[in-house]
Amino acid sequence: MRLEDKVALITGAAGGIGRETSLLFAAEGARVVAVDVNDEGCQETVDQVTAAGGQAIAVHADVSRADDCEQMVVAAESEFGALHILFNNAGIMDHDDGDASSTSEEVWDRTMAINLKGVFLGCKFGIEALKRAGGGSVINTASFVALMGAATPQLAYTASKGGVLAMTRELAVIHARENIRVNALCPGPLQTELLMKYLDTEEKRQRRLVHIPMGRFGKAEEIAQTVLFLAADESS
Ligand code: NAD
């Protein structure tokens, strides 16, 4: 019960990393606010948490919209009394994201709005709630591509994750004396819907695995263990 008495808000909770983290956090005692634009998937996550004996609510929010982000934090505080853990995890990888020549402005803007501005807006409203709770932990999902680039072109996605990483470093410094830890997660390629839909041929999948010596995609539940470490009080 490493998260006993904690309230955690998780965006992108309808599947992948967000769902696995919701399940693990709830099993560790947290009350979970599961947020997504995919209401059906989000409710399924809540149902799985509840069936396993945990507590969670589903909240519809588009993380690229300020009003929605404000409301998801209000929902956490009004339902569970406080917010201690903010996991800004929602993200997209647009199928038409490509290299500098092929990526349209529309794809660029949509990717930035969700992947980068979405994390900013989560922090904008969530960090104030963490302060009201006396401190807590923020985890922002970036990606290994923020550090290395990708072997298959996805320029908007990679740039957005670079922004998440840079923003996280600054937030960590700014809030360090307020009992708020801010970390970024940089997962390698995972076998989730987001990546498998994008790498839609075996050739593309094999190309992506050049980054991975073991030659296999990771699993969302493996990443959830790292998120737990970052969320729990005993982590640095
Ligand atoms: P996923 O597609 O299963 O999960 C992403 C979730 O975000 C979905 O449930 C989706 O509905 C939700 N979402 C999309 N737009 C949203 C919006 N505007 N507002 C609220 N929710 C929204 O994929 P995943 O792999 O679990 O992705 C989770 C995070 O991990 C993403 O930020 C992704 O970029 C990042 N990531 C994934 C990989 C990978 O290989 N899969 C690697 C590194 C980082």
Side-chain angles (χ1 to χ4, degrees):
M1 299 296 273
R2 290 164 70 184
L3 301 181
E4 201 166 12
D5 299 328
K6 302 290 184 201
V7 178
L9 188 156
I10 299 174
T11 69
I17 298 172
R19 174 172 290 168
E20 293 302 331
T21 305
S22 298
L23 289 164
L24 183 61
F25 275 18
E28 293 285 343
R31 285 163 291 165
V32 173
V33 180
V35 174
D36 211 289
V37 284
N38 174 352
D39 296 334
E40 204 178 315
C42 202
Q43 188 55 48
E44 172 61 26
T45 298
V46 167
D47 291 347
Q48 288 187 22
V49 166
T50 311
Q55 277 191 73
I57 57 165
V59 174
H60 177 97
D62 176 344
V63 296
S64 67
R65 297 173 56 93
D67 286 356
D68 285 16
C69 289
E70 188 168 17
Q71 284 312 310
M72 72 188 183
V73 173
V74 168
E77 291 189 314
S78 56
E79 186 73 21
F80 295 131
L83 180 66
H84 309 98
I85 299 160
L86 172 65
F87 184 23
N88 290 307
N89 168 69
I92 58 160
M93 184 178 275
D94 196 291
H95 195 267
D96 293 329
D97 199 355
D99 60 19
S101 310
S102 63
T103 302
S104 68
E105 280 187 78
E106 192 198 354
V107 166
W108 178 272
D109 289 346
R110 186 165 56 243
T111 304
M112 290 297 163
I114 296 172
N115 291 9
L116 184 54
K117 187 178 167 196
V119 173
F120 156 64
L121 290 174
C123 291
K124 182 175 182 63
F125 299 103
I127 288 178
E128 289 303 311
L130 263 53
K131 285 186 195 169
R132 288 192 284 275
S137 176
V138 180
I139 302 124
N140 298 329
T141 304
S143 167
F144 78 102
V145 300
L147 297 160
M148 297 173 66
T152 41
Q154 43 170 50
L155 208 60
Y157 181 90
T158 298
S160 73
K161 294 302 187 181
V164 170
L165 193 53
M167 179 164 53
T168 304
R169 286 197 184 99
E170 183 159 312
L171 287 166
V173 172
I174 290 172
H175 297 290
R177 296 186 186 195
E178 296 169 335
N179 197 30
I180 294 174
R181 294 171 286 112
V182 191
N183 286 284
L185 197 63
C186 289
L190 305 174
Q191 202 164 12
T192 64
E193 195 176 321
L194 175 137
L195 189 64
M196 294 303 114
K197 263 167 82 178
Y198 180 74
L199 303 177
D200 55 2
T201 65
E202 190 51 31
E203 189 191 349
K204 285 186 195 167
R205 289 178 189 190
Q206 289 307 319
R207 173 87 180 132
R208 181 59 60 104
L209 286 173
V210 300
H211 294 293
I212 307 299
M214 283 171 71
R216 72 159 176 87
F217 290 100
K219 297 193 173 92
E221 54 264 42
E222 295 166 346
I223 302 302
Q225 293 292 341
T226 306
V227 188
L228 172 62
F229 174 77
L230 294 172
D233 275 347
E234 66 262 32
S235 64
S236 60

